[in-house]
DNA sequence: TAGATGACCGCCT
DNA sequence: TAGGCGGCCATCT
């Protein structure tokens, strides 16, 4: 352990904090998240940080999708991710989310 | 300390 | 328009 212990001002902590700001029924892209924490090019690192998310109850990482609206990955499987989004009212068509409708812009 | 990995993104063919 | 390849960045071993 000690692994996820790096939280607290770290990149990972920032990612988790930004992710927690996404309201229910909305989604944000990895790129948007990266941008929100001041690292617009670190989209991949954001995914990495979310993959290490240990507190899914407070960090809704399932609300983060790819830049083109595709579901992307998820620690519990993309199917679970899609199911959770559906439950929150997010419409998924052909495995994609309508970002124009459900996309949330962090600031 | 260095190399490898990964829930991504953008450009080129 | 669609698919493939390389690049970027933080974390892990």
């Amino acid at each position: 352990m000690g692994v996820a212990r790096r939280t607290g001002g770290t990149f990972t902590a920032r990612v988790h904090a930004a992710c927690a700001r996404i309201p229910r029924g909305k989604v944000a892209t990895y790129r948007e998240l990266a941008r929100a924490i001041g690292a617009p090019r670190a989209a991949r690192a954001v995914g990495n940080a979310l993959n290490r998310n240990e507190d899914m109850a407070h960090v809704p990482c399932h609300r983060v999708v790819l830049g083109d609206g595709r579901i992307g990955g998820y620690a519990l499987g993309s199917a679970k991710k899609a199911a959770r989004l559906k439950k929150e009212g997010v419409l998924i068509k052909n495995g994609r989310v309508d970002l124009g409708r459900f996309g949330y812009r962090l600031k």
Side-chain angles (χ1 to χ4, degrees), chain A residues 8-9 19-20 26 28-29 31-32 34-35 39 47 58 60 65-66 68 84 93 98:
Chain A
C19 182
K26 293 284 183 181
T29 64
R31 193 187 175 192
E32 188 65 36
R35 195 177 167 185
H58 298 88
V65 299
L66 302 190
D68 59 0
R84 279 201 149 185
K93 265 186 186 177
D98 185 350

Side-chain angles (χ1 to χ4, degrees), chain A residues 4-104:
Chain A
R5 278 308 78 76
R6 309 201 171 202
T7 51
T10 63
F11 179 85
T12 301
R14 283 190 204 177
V15 171
H16 290 182
C19 182
R21 274 190 255 148
I22 306 172
R24 188 171 173 279
K26 293 284 183 181
V27 300
T29 64
Y30 288 97
R31 193 187 175 192
E32 188 65 36
L33 221 64
R35 195 177 167 185
I37 63 174
R41 290 184 184 178
R44 190 157 192 174
V46 167
N48 212 330
L50 290 179
N51 188 28
R52 268 95 185 168
N53 174 28
E54 290 182 344
D55 193 5
M56 295 214 177
H58 298 88
V59 182
C61 52
H62 62 280
R63 292 179 192 153
V64 186
V65 299
L66 302 190
D68 59 0
R70 278 183 297 172
I71 298 299
Y74 191 57
L76 306 180
S78 50
K80 288 248 181 190
K81 185 173 181 178
R84 279 201 149 185
L85 287 174
K86 243 182 179 178
K87 221 173 183 178
E88 295 186 352
V90 177
L91 229 62
I92 300 174
K93 265 186 186 177
N94 300 322
R96 290 192 189 187
V97 174
D98 185 350
L99 290 176
R101 212 168 143 189
F102 302 101
Y104 181 73

